[in-house]
Amino acid sequence: MQLPANFLKNRKLESLVENQSTFTMDQAAMHIFETHQTADRVLLQFDQPVLASMIQGKKVMHLRDYESFQFLPGESLILPSHELMCIDFPEAQKEAPTRCLALAISETLIDQVLERMNEAMPKSDGRQWGLMDYNFHFVNDAAVFQILQRLLFLFTENHPYKEFFVDNMLRELIVRVLQTNQRRIYTDDTLQLKQDSRLSYVVRYIRNHLHEPLDVESLSKVACMSPSHFHRIFKNEVGVSPVEFINAERIKLAVSLLQDPNRSIKEVYMCCGFESRSYFNRVFKSKKQVAPKAFQQLLQREMF
Protein backbone atom coordinates (compact mmCIF):
# COMPACT_ATOMS: atom_id res chain seq x y z
CA MET A 1 0.00 0.00 0.00
CA GLN A 2 1.00 3.59 -0.50
CA LEU A 3 0.09 6.64 1.56
CA PRO A 4 -1.55 9.49 -0.37
CA ALA A 5 0.84 12.32 -1.20
CA ASN A 6 -1.40 14.87 0.56
CA PHE A 7 -1.14 12.89 3.81
CA LEU A 8 2.68 13.03 3.89
CA LYS A 9 2.56 16.70 2.97
CA ASN A 10 0.04 17.79 5.61
CA ARG A 11 0.55 15.52 8.62
CA LYS A 12 2.43 16.75 11.68
CA LEU A 13 5.36 14.69 12.91
CA GLU A 14 5.31 15.21 16.68
CA SER A 15 6.91 11.97 17.88
CA LEU A 16 9.54 9.62 16.50
CA VAL A 17 7.80 6.57 18.01
CA GLU A 18 4.23 5.80 16.92
CA ASN A 19 3.47 9.30 15.68
CA GLN A 20 -0.31 9.21 15.26
CA SER A 21 -2.43 10.89 12.58
CA THR A 22 -6.16 10.31 13.02
CA PHE A 23 -9.07 10.75 10.62
CA THR A 24 -12.49 10.32 12.25
CA MET A 25 -15.85 9.59 10.67
CA ASP A 26 -19.24 8.48 12.03
CA GLN A 27 -18.68 4.72 11.72
CA ALA A 28 -14.90 4.44 11.92
CA ALA A 29 -11.61 6.11 12.67
CA MET A 30 -8.40 5.59 10.71
CA HIS A 31 -5.15 6.02 12.61
CA ILE A 32 -1.85 6.08 10.75
CA PHE A 33 1.15 5.35 12.96
CA GLU A 34 4.74 6.16 11.98
CA THR A 35 7.90 5.18 13.87
CA HIS A 36 11.25 6.69 12.87
CA GLN A 37 13.61 5.00 15.35
CA THR A 38 14.05 1.59 16.92
CA ALA A 39 11.91 0.97 19.98
CA ASP A 40 10.81 -1.93 22.19
CA ARG A 41 7.70 -2.83 24.13
CA VAL A 42 5.48 0.01 22.92
CA LEU A 43 1.93 -0.51 24.22
CA LEU A 44 -1.21 0.27 22.21
CA GLN A 45 -4.90 -0.43 22.81
CA PHE A 46 -8.26 0.53 21.27
CA ASP A 47 -11.76 0.44 22.73
CA GLN A 48 -13.27 -0.80 19.45
CA PRO A 49 -12.49 -3.76 17.18
CA VAL A 50 -9.49 -2.84 15.02
CA LEU A 51 -8.03 -3.93 11.73
CA ALA A 52 -4.32 -3.12 11.67
CA SER A 53 -2.46 -3.36 8.39
CA MET A 54 1.23 -2.82 7.70
CA ILE A 55 2.15 -0.21 5.10
CA GLN A 56 5.93 -0.07 5.40
CA GLY A 57 8.69 -1.62 7.51
CA LYS A 58 8.46 -4.35 10.13
CA LYS A 59 7.03 -4.74 13.60
CA VAL A 60 7.34 -7.60 16.06
CA MET A 61 4.01 -8.18 17.76
CA HIS A 62 3.47 -9.64 21.24
CA LEU A 63 -0.18 -10.55 21.87
CA ARG A 64 -2.02 -12.65 24.42
CA ASP A 65 -1.93 -16.40 23.75
CA TYR A 66 0.31 -15.88 20.70
CA GLU A 67 3.90 -16.56 19.91
CA SER A 68 5.64 -13.29 19.03
CA PHE A 69 5.58 -12.81 15.27
CA GLN A 70 6.79 -10.43 12.59
CA PHE A 71 4.17 -8.09 11.15
CA LEU A 72 5.05 -7.20 7.55
CA PRO A 73 3.66 -5.09 4.67
CA GLY A 74 0.82 -6.89 2.92
CA GLU A 75 -0.42 -8.40 6.19
CA SER A 76 -3.31 -7.44 8.45
CA LEU A 77 -4.34 -8.22 11.99
CA ILE A 78 -7.82 -8.22 13.48
CA LEU A 79 -7.94 -7.33 17.16
CA PRO A 80 -11.04 -7.41 19.41
CA SER A 81 -11.85 -4.33 21.44
CA HIS A 82 -9.57 -3.57 24.41
CA GLU A 83 -6.87 -5.95 23.15
CA LEU A 84 -3.46 -4.83 24.42
CA MET A 85 -0.67 -4.83 21.84
CA CYS A 86 3.00 -4.83 22.79
CA ILE A 87 5.14 -3.84 19.80
CA ASP A 88 8.85 -3.84 18.94
CA PHE A 89 10.34 -1.79 16.09
CA PRO A 90 13.70 -3.47 15.39
CA GLU A 91 14.48 -1.77 12.06
CA ALA A 92 12.73 1.63 12.11
CA GLN A 93 14.90 4.52 10.94
CA LYS A 94 14.40 8.19 10.08
CA GLU A 95 15.01 7.46 6.39
CA ALA A 96 12.99 4.19 6.47
CA PRO A 97 10.17 4.54 9.01
CA THR A 98 7.71 1.85 9.98
CA ARG A 99 4.17 2.79 8.95
CA CYS A 100 0.92 1.04 9.85
CA LEU A 101 -2.76 1.88 9.63
CA ALA A 102 -5.22 0.97 12.36
CA LEU A 103 -8.88 1.06 11.40
CA ALA A 104 -11.25 1.14 14.37
CA ILE A 105 -14.76 0.20 13.23
CA SER A 106 -18.03 0.86 15.01
CA GLU A 107 -19.51 -2.28 16.55
CA THR A 108 -22.94 -1.01 15.46
CA LEU A 109 -21.86 -1.12 11.83
CA ILE A 110 -20.29 -4.56 12.30
CA ASP A 111 -23.55 -5.86 13.83
CA GLN A 112 -25.53 -4.50 10.87
CA VAL A 113 -23.26 -6.28 8.41
CA LEU A 114 -23.37 -9.53 10.41
CA GLU A 115 -27.16 -9.44 10.50
CA ARG A 116 -27.28 -8.97 6.74
CA MET A 117 -24.74 -11.75 6.16
CA ASN A 118 -26.72 -14.20 8.28
CA GLU A 119 -29.88 -13.36 6.32
CA ALA A 120 -28.44 -13.33 2.80
CA MET A 121 -25.41 -15.63 2.90
CA PRO A 122 -25.78 -18.22 5.69
CA LYS A 123 -22.93 -20.61 6.34
CA SER A 124 -23.24 -24.11 4.89
CA ASP A 125 -22.79 -25.67 8.35
CA GLY A 126 -25.67 -23.67 9.81
CA ARG A 127 -23.54 -21.62 12.18
CA GLN A 128 -24.03 -17.87 12.47
CA TRP A 129 -21.56 -15.30 11.21
CA GLY A 130 -20.00 -13.44 14.13
CA LEU A 131 -17.12 -11.12 14.90
CA MET A 132 -13.98 -12.93 16.01
CA ASP A 133 -13.23 -12.59 19.72
CA TYR A 134 -9.62 -13.60 19.09
CA ASN A 135 -6.65 -12.17 17.21
CA PHE A 136 -6.53 -13.04 13.51
CA HIS A 137 -3.31 -12.46 11.54
CA PHE A 138 -3.57 -12.91 7.78
CA VAL A 139 -2.09 -11.93 4.43
CA ASN A 140 -4.21 -9.48 2.43
CA ASP A 141 -5.67 -10.92 -0.72
CA ALA A 142 -6.14 -8.66 -3.76
CA ALA A 143 -9.66 -7.63 -2.69
CA VAL A 144 -8.69 -6.62 0.86
CA PHE A 145 -5.58 -4.83 -0.44
CA GLN A 146 -7.70 -2.82 -2.88
CA ILE A 147 -10.24 -1.83 -0.20
CA LEU A 148 -7.55 -0.71 2.25
CA GLN A 149 -5.79 1.32 -0.42
CA ARG A 150 -9.09 2.97 -1.33
CA LEU A 151 -9.88 3.71 2.33
CA LEU A 152 -6.49 5.38 2.77
CA PHE A 153 -7.43 7.72 -0.05
CA LEU A 154 -11.01 8.32 1.09
CA PHE A 155 -10.21 9.11 4.73
CA THR A 156 -7.64 11.71 3.66
CA GLU A 157 -9.77 13.14 0.84
CA ASN A 158 -11.83 16.31 1.10
CA HIS A 159 -15.07 15.26 -0.57
CA PRO A 160 -18.67 16.11 0.45
CA TYR A 161 -19.84 12.50 0.00
CA LYS A 162 -16.87 10.66 1.45
CA GLU A 163 -18.91 9.44 4.45
CA PHE A 164 -21.13 7.54 2.02
CA PHE A 165 -18.16 6.14 0.09
CA VAL A 166 -16.39 5.04 3.27
CA ASP A 167 -19.51 3.36 4.67
CA ASN A 168 -19.82 1.18 1.56
CA MET A 169 -16.13 0.26 1.60
CA LEU A 170 -16.23 -0.62 5.30
CA ARG A 171 -19.20 -2.93 4.78
CA GLU A 172 -17.40 -4.78 2.02
CA LEU A 173 -14.21 -4.94 4.09
CA ILE A 174 -16.05 -6.60 6.99
CA VAL A 175 -17.53 -9.24 4.67
CA ARG A 176 -14.18 -9.91 2.97
CA VAL A 177 -12.32 -10.28 6.27
CA LEU A 178 -14.89 -12.65 7.74
CA GLN A 179 -14.75 -14.77 4.58
CA THR A 180 -10.94 -14.77 4.80
CA ASN A 181 -11.20 -15.95 8.39
CA GLN A 182 -13.30 -18.89 7.20
CA ARG A 183 -10.57 -19.88 4.74
CA ARG A 184 -7.67 -19.95 7.20
CA ILE A 185 -4.94 -22.42 6.24
CA TYR A 186 -4.14 -23.31 9.84
CA THR A 187 -6.14 -23.74 13.00
CA ASP A 188 -5.58 -21.27 15.83
CA ASP A 189 -3.46 -23.97 17.48
CA THR A 190 -0.69 -23.18 14.97
CA LEU A 191 -0.03 -19.86 16.71
CA GLN A 192 -0.87 -21.08 20.21
CA LEU A 193 1.59 -23.93 20.64
CA LYS A 194 3.05 -23.91 24.11
CA GLN A 195 6.07 -21.65 24.16
CA ASP A 196 8.26 -24.29 25.75
CA SER A 197 7.35 -27.03 23.24
CA ARG A 198 9.83 -28.20 20.63
CA LEU A 199 7.33 -27.62 17.84
CA SER A 200 6.82 -24.02 18.96
CA TYR A 201 10.55 -23.52 18.64
CA VAL A 202 10.53 -25.14 15.17
CA VAL A 203 7.66 -22.90 13.98
CA ARG A 204 9.61 -19.83 15.10
CA TYR A 205 12.74 -21.22 13.47
CA ILE A 206 10.92 -21.70 10.15
CA ARG A 207 9.48 -18.18 10.17
CA ASN A 208 12.89 -16.69 10.96
CA HIS A 209 14.75 -18.71 8.30
CA LEU A 210 12.41 -18.71 5.32
CA HIS A 211 15.21 -17.41 3.08
CA GLU A 212 17.36 -20.46 3.87
CA PRO A 213 17.04 -24.11 2.71
CA LEU A 214 14.52 -25.93 4.90
CA ASP A 215 13.57 -29.59 4.82
CA VAL A 216 12.19 -32.26 7.13
CA GLU A 217 15.59 -33.74 7.91
CA SER A 218 17.17 -30.46 9.01
CA LEU A 219 14.06 -29.39 10.95
CA SER A 220 13.89 -32.76 12.72
CA LYS A 221 17.40 -32.07 14.04
CA VAL A 222 16.21 -28.67 15.32
CA ALA A 223 13.39 -30.49 17.10
CA CYS A 224 15.71 -33.29 18.29
CA MET A 225 13.48 -35.96 16.74
CA SER A 226 13.86 -38.54 14.01
CA PRO A 227 12.57 -37.31 10.60
CA SER A 228 9.60 -39.72 10.56
CA HIS A 229 8.59 -38.93 14.15
CA PHE A 230 8.98 -35.18 13.56
CA HIS A 231 6.85 -35.29 10.38
CA ARG A 232 4.07 -37.20 12.16
CA ILE A 233 4.05 -34.99 15.29
CA PHE A 234 4.20 -31.75 13.28
CA LYS A 235 1.27 -32.70 11.07
CA ASN A 236 -0.80 -33.88 14.04
CA GLU A 237 -0.24 -30.70 16.07
CA VAL A 238 -0.09 -28.03 13.35
CA GLY A 239 -2.60 -29.56 10.96
CA VAL A 240 -0.41 -29.55 7.82
CA SER A 241 2.86 -31.22 6.87
CA PRO A 242 6.16 -29.37 7.43
CA VAL A 243 6.60 -28.78 3.68
CA GLU A 244 3.06 -27.42 3.34
CA PHE A 245 3.65 -25.11 6.29
CA ILE A 246 6.99 -23.88 4.90
CA ASN A 247 5.53 -23.20 1.46
CA ALA A 248 2.50 -21.40 2.88
CA GLU A 249 4.73 -19.18 5.06
CA ARG A 250 6.96 -18.44 2.07
CA ILE A 251 3.95 -17.47 -0.05
CA LYS A 252 2.74 -15.16 2.74
CA LEU A 253 6.12 -13.45 2.64
CA ALA A 254 6.07 -13.36 -1.17
CA VAL A 255 2.66 -11.65 -1.19
CA SER A 256 4.08 -8.94 1.08
CA LEU A 257 7.17 -8.45 -1.09
CA LEU A 258 5.22 -8.39 -4.36
CA GLN A 259 3.38 -5.29 -3.21
CA ASP A 260 6.60 -3.38 -3.87
CA PRO A 261 6.55 -2.69 -7.64
CA ASN A 262 10.32 -2.21 -7.64
CA ARG A 263 11.05 -5.79 -6.55
CA SER A 264 11.80 -8.25 -9.33
CA ILE A 265 10.28 -11.73 -9.29
CA LYS A 266 13.78 -13.19 -8.95
CA GLU A 267 14.48 -11.06 -5.89
CA VAL A 268 11.18 -12.12 -4.34
CA TYR A 269 11.57 -15.85 -4.79
CA MET A 270 15.17 -15.77 -3.56
CA CYS A 271 14.19 -13.76 -0.47
CA CYS A 272 11.52 -16.37 0.21
CA GLY A 273 13.89 -19.33 -0.05
CA PHE A 274 12.65 -20.87 -3.31
CA GLU A 275 15.43 -22.49 -5.32
CA SER A 276 13.94 -21.81 -8.75
CA ARG A 277 11.43 -19.51 -10.38
CA SER A 278 9.52 -22.42 -11.88
CA TYR A 279 8.90 -24.02 -8.46
CA PHE A 280 8.02 -20.62 -6.96
CA ASN A 281 5.54 -20.00 -9.79
CA ARG A 282 3.95 -23.41 -9.31
CA VAL A 283 3.53 -23.09 -5.54
CA PHE A 284 2.36 -19.47 -5.74
CA LYS A 285 -0.23 -20.26 -8.41
CA SER A 286 -1.53 -23.22 -6.41
CA LYS A 287 -2.12 -20.90 -3.42
CA LYS A 288 -3.29 -17.73 -5.19
CA GLN A 289 -4.70 -19.07 -8.49
CA VAL A 290 -2.54 -16.58 -10.39
CA ALA A 291 1.16 -16.35 -11.32
CA PRO A 292 3.41 -14.07 -9.19
CA LYS A 293 4.05 -11.51 -11.96
CA ALA A 294 0.36 -11.28 -12.82
CA PHE A 295 -0.43 -10.89 -9.10
CA GLN A 296 2.06 -8.02 -8.79
CA GLN A 297 0.64 -6.31 -11.89
CA LEU A 298 -2.90 -6.76 -10.58
CA LEU A 299 -2.04 -5.04 -7.31
CA GLN A 300 -0.49 -2.10 -9.13
CA ARG A 301 -3.50 -1.66 -11.43
CA GLU A 302 -5.84 -1.72 -8.43
CA MET A 303 -3.68 0.79 -6.56
CA PHE A 304 -4.07 3.35 -9.31
Side-chain angles (χ1 to χ4, degrees), residues 121-231:
M121 45 189 297
K123 294 183 179 181
S124 58
D125 60 7
R127 291 184 299 166
Q128 294 281 295
W129 290 99
L131 183 65
M132 297 88 76
D133 59 357
Y134 50 85
N135 301 310
F136 174 38
H137 178 212
F138 64 97
V139 176
N140 302 334
D141 60 18
V144 171
F145 171 85
Q146 181 183 15
I147 294 170
L148 292 175
Q149 186 67 61
R150 179 67 176 159
L151 285 171
L152 274 170
F153 172 78
L154 289 173
F155 268 90
T156 56
E157 183 190 25
N158 184 18
H159 193 287
Y161 299 113
K162 75 175 186 178
E163 193 86 46
F164 174 78
F165 300 149
V166 166
D167 183 77
N168 286 332
M169 298 302 295
L170 288 173
R171 290 173 185 273
E172 181 179 353
L173 179 63
I174 294 167
V175 174
R176 297 278 190 181
V177 168
L178 289 173
Q179 289 178 326
T180 300
N181 184 49
Q182 285 296 107
R183 298 192 299 266
R184 284 176 303 184
I185 299 175
Y186 318 119
T187 65
D188 292 333
D189 293 338
T190 304
L191 296 176
Q192 296 178 8
L193 297 168
K194 293 181 179 179
Q195 292 192 13
D196 58 353
S197 76
R198 283 181 285 180
L199 282 190
S200 174
Y201 178 76
V202 172
V203 166
R204 290 198 303 271
Y205 182 89
I206 290 171
R207 288 176 170 150
N208 290 330
H209 295 82
L210 290 174
H211 60 288
E212 300 175 6
L214 295 170
D215 54 40
V216 171
E217 185 172 352
S218 63
L219 292 174
S220 66
K221 292 178 180 177
V222 173
C224 301
M225 302 179 188
S226 70
S228 59
H229 183 58
F230 168 72
H231 187 280

